[in-house]
Amino acid sequence: MGYDATFRVWRGDLDGGELHDFTVLVNEGEVVLDIIHRLQATQAPDLAVRWNCKAGKCGSCSAEVNGRPRLLCMTRMSTFGEDEVITVTPMRTFPVIKDLVTDVSFNYEKARQIPSFTPPADLKPGEYRMKQIDVERSQEFRKCIECFLCQDTCHVVRDHEENKTAFAGPRYLMRITELEMHPLDVGDRTDLAQDEQGLGLCNITKCCTEVCPEHIKITDNALIPLKERVADRKYDPVVWLGNKLFRR
């Protein structure tokens, strides 16, 4: 049985905007993206929203619902009361292009800064051999759909625009961890993570883990182990002595 819900949707662009109230029909089993599409079809044909698969796998429809970063296609209307005002706004951390669509190019710039997978020089494509047990730790990170909700909720850049030049964000620090844990990768990105990608700015509040739609334990399984690797290299006296002897 359907009911009329009150939606408060942000309309505007980089120069400014405001919240607009709409009353829109909600049917049983629908998600927030369904309602946004109904608004486009019936009341606001120029409303901009980015989406693709509507199945929680493309990461395109990221926005904020009642202040919480979410995928619109995975946020069920049944989680809200029928008399609740539902506020939908663009991701706060990134510049607005129009309405609910944001410019997420920051993330692709950070991705390009990370050295790619580096296999041993004598290992040719097609000769890679790994056991499942060797990839289990990092396999979890491959579930990432790059919705950038973790990037959006991370207060290091959400509340401090000036940090963007020196901080890669949880998604790309997780990418570094994935490569560092890869059994066939011979690259070394530990110093890069600390000195250029801002690992030290992360204070492990777990806000990135809380909003991940793929339920990746970003903080516990990626960020903390990467911090431990940095600490071992820089502060473990045995590692420090070994580095000194090796250089000699």
Side-chain angles (χ1 to χ4, degrees):
M1 187 176 190
Y3 66 93
D4 288 335
T6 300
F7 262 66
R8 186 164 291 160
V9 182
W10 197 89
R11 304 295 310 274
D13 53 29
L14 191 58
D15 295 326
E18 60 184 0
L19 292 167
H20 289 241
D21 287 349
F22 299 92
T23 299
V24 59
L25 174 67
V26 176
N27 296 313
E28 185 177 356
E30 291 187 321
V31 295
V32 172
L33 185 59
D34 291 319
I35 312 308
I36 295 298
H37 284 165
R38 184 166 294 123
L39 281 175
Q40 287 179 318
T42 61
Q43 301 180 53
D46 60 340
L47 174 63
V49 60
R50 182 183 285 130
W51 73 284
N52 187 19
C53 74
K54 201 177 177 291
K57 293 302 177 184
C58 73
S60 299
C61 63
S62 299
E64 298 189 10
V65 181
N66 290 353
R68 182 180 176 84
R70 295 174 179 267
L71 291 178
L72 299 183
C73 71
M74 298 299 287
T75 305
R76 295 200 167 275
M77 289 300 301
S78 59
T79 60
F80 307 105
E82 293 187 7
D83 58 348
E84 185 175 353
V85 176
I86 301 169
T87 302
V88 185
T89 55
M91 288 191 286
R92 181 177 128 185
T93 300
F94 309 115
V96 174
I97 296 176
K98 186 178 186 298
D99 300 337
L100 302 179
V101 177
T102 52
D103 180 359
V104 294
S105 57
F106 160 80
N107 300 285
Y108 301 112
E109 292 169 5
K110 293 301 178 182
R112 284 192 289 267
Q113 294 172 9
I114 300 173
S116 61
F117 170 66
T118 308
D122 59 346
L123 195 62
K124 299 178 181 178
E127 296 180 351
Y128 299 169
R129 296 292 183 272
M130 295 176 289
K131 293 183 179 179
Q132 179 60 34
I133 194 172
D134 295 325
V135 299
E136 282 179 352
R137 286 192 70 191
S138 62
Q139 194 168 28
E140 174 190 14
F141 311 140
R142 300 293 293 181
K143 295 193 299 179
C144 176
I145 60 175
E146 296 208 321
C147 61
F148 305 130
L149 293 180
C150 63
Q151 301 284 86
D152 178 49
T153 198
C154 179
H155 59 274
V156 177
V157 289
R158 183 181 179 89
D159 299 328
H160 304 278
E161 180 71 22
E162 68 277 9
N163 286 339
K164 284 187 177 180
T165 57
F167 186 66
R171 192 282 170 262
Y172 295 104
L173 291 173
M174 180 176 70
R175 171 62 175 161
I176 291 174
T177 306
E178 177 192 338
L179 291 168
E180 287 292 295
M181 290 180 176
H182 197 292
L184 292 180
D185 187 90
V186 296
D188 187 346
R189 304 166 189 82
T190 306
D191 289 339
L192 171 75
Q194 179 69 10
D195 301 335
E196 299 180 31
Q197 302 301 325
L199 178 63
L201 292 173
C202 170
N203 55 11
I204 57 177
T205 58
K206 297 191 178 183
C207 52
C208 52
T209 300
E210 290 176 1
V211 300
C212 178
E214 288 293 326
H215 308 292
I216 302 170
K217 294 181 173 59
I218 303 172
T219 308
D220 289 342
N221 293 349
L223 303 185
I224 291 177
L226 189 58
K227 281 177 173 286
E228 290 172 344
R229 289 181 183 228
V230 169
D232 285 345
R233 173 169 296 183
K234 290 185 176 293
Y235 306 112
D236 188 308
V238 176
V239 174
W240 179 86
L241 180 61
N243 290 336
K244 287 289 187 181
L245 294 174
F246 180 77
R247 279 200 294 268
R248 290 179 181 175

